[in-house]
Amino acid sequence: MRPMDMTAVELGTAIREREITAPEALQAVFAEIDRKEERLHCYITLDREGAVRRAEAVQKKIDAGELTGPLAGVPLAVKDNLCTAGMLTTCASRILGNFVPSYTAEAVRRLEEGGMVLIGKTNMDEFAMGSTTETSAYGPTGNPWNAAHVPGGSSGGSAAAVAAGECFLALGSDTGGSVRQPASFCGVVGMKPTYGSISRYGLIAYGSSLDQIGPLCRDVRDCAAVLEQIVCHDTKDATSVKRNDTDFTAALAEGIAGMRIGIPRDYMTEGLCEEVREPVLAAAEVLREKGASVEPFDLGLVEYAVPAYYTIAAAEASSNLERFDGVKYGYRAGDCTGLHEMYRKTRSEGFGEEVKRRIMLGSFVLSSGYYDAYYLKALRVRTLIREAFDEAFASYDIILAPAAPTTAPMRGKSLQDPIRMYLGDIYTISANLAGLPGISVPCGRDGKGLPVGMQLIGDRFSEKKLLRAAYAYESARGAFGICEEVR
Ligand code: GLN
């Protein structure tokens, strides 16, 4: 088997069994990058020389028996909002165009400790605000299945890189769907775990109460393997949770007999494209054949999720992004007569349109006189949404839904109408509002050959159930494959 046809876990096994070395695996990835990157632009930063050094060092440790984990020697790509010591971390923004962190995000550090070889930083929507990877200050990313279409966002570079074979596994972040939706658009597996399960230390904040790191992978087994390494308690993140149920790989084989799956009626109505509805319902049928019960139910408050999310996410973003002022980090505008002008010019020149829109919206909903009317009301809606899910999970183990209402749109068609773009997040944002885990698994293609994703959402800390169901479906479906040639 060619290295590029292997999953991350298969490659890790081949490296352990001396069939291939870590430097050779790296060269195989570089060959794919050389073939495709010019058209796709998955990466903002590629550190080839550093990666070669790291792969050689890892191989020495493997040879010495010091590294024995399942992913040792496997190349890794990381979204550019995760800090990496000594490696440019831009958040796809001009304002961090020269920012080289002095420390590494905990999730990345843990993967490197397990022997993964960091090769570079992937493209994204600026500060993770967007759904298409088109708000990046460094230019858009193409969808590997058809480069005239977007890869989704905001973790579009990570999803596209995995789908194109430009890496074996990548990390993204999911504030309102940014791992699950690009996974769906690119035909890879993407998971957002329960809020607090993966340390946010070193993840540049967007909406802190919603943000969660998640992996983008070739299959469900890879997803379980990477979660096993990065789900852990971390005292450096005050919202980090202690868990002792992280043997995710072992859970895969348990099957889904007797599992109760609910499909929200309100998710399957107008607004959902037929080319998405059909494969998602067909996937539900497969789960039924595997022994689960599947039925529709009424999940309340669906129409309030988008406004509540955008109010809360913008409010938190406006506060989080205050720190980018030309003093502490990154870009500073020149030719300023005083401190205030320097702030104003730096932020005006450093931030893009969409980020400015969120900062203004967020500052507005937090301002006195409007706080109660908008922000506080959104928080109340958030609580009600959480309760609606709690009620649903009293009857169901898993909620099955699409990941997005459509397949990947054409490039250049989404940003003119931000509200429409925001509405496209309808199926993913509730999981963030309620802190729930969700996984997107490829389940078909539309008429143009673009992938469709099925999403499974579970109760807090029910990752094992999600992985079991996703694995049962994936085993029945068969391989989805990486994209050989970019169209
Ligand atoms: N599209 C959503 C937004 O723009 C979600 C982004 C994300 O999850 N980072 O806020």
Side-chain angles (χ1 to χ4, degrees), residues 164-231:
E166 290 194 29
C167 69
F168 286 87
L169 198 148
L171 289 183
S173 68
D174 191 313
T175 304
S178 280
V179 165
R180 290 160 287 154
Q181 182 258 36
S184 160
F185 284 3
C186 289
V188 298
V189 174
M191 185 165 197
K192 174 200 108 66
T194 306
Y195 182 76
S197 297
I198 298 175
S199 169
R200 288 182 295 114
Y201 178 76
L203 167 67
I204 297 175
Y206 163 14
S208 313
S209 77
L210 305 155
D211 295 341
Q212 188 61 186
I213 293 168
L216 291 121
C217 315
R218 295 212 176 151
D219 70 1
V220 177
R221 183 177 291 275
D222 280 2
C223 186
V226 68
L227 285 183
E228 258 167 43
Q229 293 197 11
I230 59 177
V231 170

Side-chain angles (χ1 to χ4, degrees), residues 224-410:
V226 68
L227 285 183
E228 258 167 43
Q229 293 197 11
I230 59 177
V231 170
C232 71
H233 178 63
D234 179 14
T235 50
K236 300 187 291 309
D237 172 359
T239 58
S240 169
V241 184
K242 254 199 192 107
R243 301 181 57 162
N244 50 13
D245 62 338
T246 56
D247 50 338
F248 299 115
T249 303
L252 294 180
E254 282 173 30
I256 56 165
M259 217 181 245
R260 299 159 304 164
I261 297 178
I263 305 180
R265 273 195 196 91
D266 289 352
Y267 280 7
M268 308 305 280
T269 53
E270 18 78 71
L272 176 62
C273 166
E274 206 44 47
E275 287 191 297
V276 174
R277 183 205 312 268
E278 274 174 27
V280 168
L281 290 178
E285 214 35 60
V286 171
L287 291 172
R288 194 201 304 272
E289 282 160 21
K290 291 268 152 198
S293 68
V294 182
E295 63 182 36
F297 77 102
D298 292 314
L299 176 70
L301 301 164
V302 171
E303 78 237 63
Y304 300 111
V306 171
Y309 167 83
Y310 275 94
T311 305
I312 293 167
E316 294 187 16
S318 73
S319 166
N320 276 324
L321 269 55
E322 267 168 25
R323 72 193 68 173
F324 304 107
D325 57 5
V327 177
K328 303 183 213 53
Y329 313 87
Y331 176 74
R332 175 186 293 184
D335 288 336
C336 302
T337 49
L339 183 64
H340 284 279
E341 193 193 345
M342 192 280 285
Y343 287 157
R344 190 169 49 75
K345 270 183 82 175
T346 296
R347 288 169 67 86
S348 300
E349 292 168 15
F351 290 133
E353 288 283 300
E354 184 61 28
V355 172
K356 285 180 190 162
R357 188 175 3 256
R358 309 274 179 119
I359 291 174
M360 286 190 286
L361 177 65
S363 306
F364 173 74
V365 300
L366 287 175
S367 57
S368 78
Y370 295 103
Y371 181 92
D372 289 3
Y374 296 108
Y375 181 64
L376 208 58
K377 194 175 276 176
L379 289 185
R380 291 199 174 113
V381 172
R382 181 180 193 169
T383 302
L384 294 175
I385 288 174
R386 190 187 252 262
E387 285 168 4
F389 275 96
D390 288 347
E391 201 181 310
F393 289 122
S395 308
Y396 302 102
D397 295 299
I398 285 179
I399 292 173
L400 187 151
T406 63
T407 51
M410 294 276 287

Side-chain angles (χ1 to χ4, degrees), residues 12-286:
T13 308
I15 292 173
R16 268 198 318 284
E17 292 176 355
R18 306 283 191 272
E19 288 161 18
I20 181 172
T21 65
E24 284 165 0
L26 189 64
Q27 292 309 325
V29 166
F30 287 159
E32 289 312 291
I33 290 175
D34 289 339
R35 269 186 346 109
K36 298 171 181 163
E37 178 64 2
E38 210 178 287
R39 292 203 57 201
L40 293 181
H41 187 228
C42 302
Y43 290 91
I44 292 178
T45 299
L46 259 174
D47 178 23
R48 293 189 191 233
E49 283 168 26
V52 169
R53 276 198 309 277
R54 286 186 283 277
E56 283 167 357
V58 161
Q59 188 61 48
K60 277 205 187 108
K61 285 192 178 173
I62 293 172
D63 292 340
E66 291 163 24
L67 272 176
T68 54
L71 299 173
V74 177
L76 167 74
V78 167
K79 186 175 181 178
D80 210 20
N81 60 352
L82 285 155
C83 287
T84 42
M87 196 186 284
L88 196 64
T89 300
T90 70
C91 264
S93 181
R94 220 178 141 212
I95 212 158
L96 287 179
N98 59 2
F99 174 55
V100 179
S102 57
Y103 68 100
T104 296
E106 180 65 12
V108 181
R109 193 193 65 74
R110 289 186 66 92
L111 290 180
E112 289 197 291
E113 196 176 65
M116 289 201 83
V117 178
L118 178 63
I119 58 173
K121 307 297 289 292
T122 56
N123 201 12
M124 54 183 279
D125 283 297
E126 186 178 4
F127 282 101
M129 296 171 193
S131 307
T132 62
T133 311
E134 293 175 296
T135 71
S136 168
Y138 304 101
T141 293
N143 187 309
W145 302 96
N146 185 335
H149 289 251
V150 305
S154 62
S155 312
S158 288
V162 175
E166 290 194 29
C167 69
F168 286 87
L169 198 148
L171 289 183
S173 68
D174 191 313
T175 304
S178 280
V179 165
R180 290 160 287 154
Q181 182 258 36
S184 160
F185 284 3
C186 289
V188 298
V189 174
M191 185 165 197
K192 174 200 108 66
T194 306
Y195 182 76
S197 297
I198 298 175
S199 169
R200 288 182 295 114
Y201 178 76
L203 167 67
I204 297 175
Y206 163 14
S208 313
S209 77
L210 305 155
D211 295 341
Q212 188 61 186
I213 293 168
L216 291 121
C217 315
R218 295 212 176 151
D219 70 1
V220 177
R221 183 177 291 275
D222 280 2
C223 186
V226 68
L227 285 183
E228 258 167 43
Q229 293 197 11
I230 59 177
V231 170
C232 71
H233 178 63
D234 179 14
T235 50
K236 300 187 291 309
D237 172 359
T239 58
S240 169
V241 184
K242 254 199 192 107
R243 301 181 57 162
N244 50 13
D245 62 338
T246 56
D247 50 338
F248 299 115
T249 303
L252 294 180
E254 282 173 30
I256 56 165
M259 217 181 245
R260 299 159 304 164
I261 297 178
I263 305 180
R265 273 195 196 91
D266 289 352
Y267 280 7
M268 308 305 280
T269 53
E270 18 78 71
L272 176 62
C273 166
E274 206 44 47
E275 287 191 297
V276 174
R277 183 205 312 268
E278 274 174 27
V280 168
L281 290 178
E285 214 35 60
V286 171

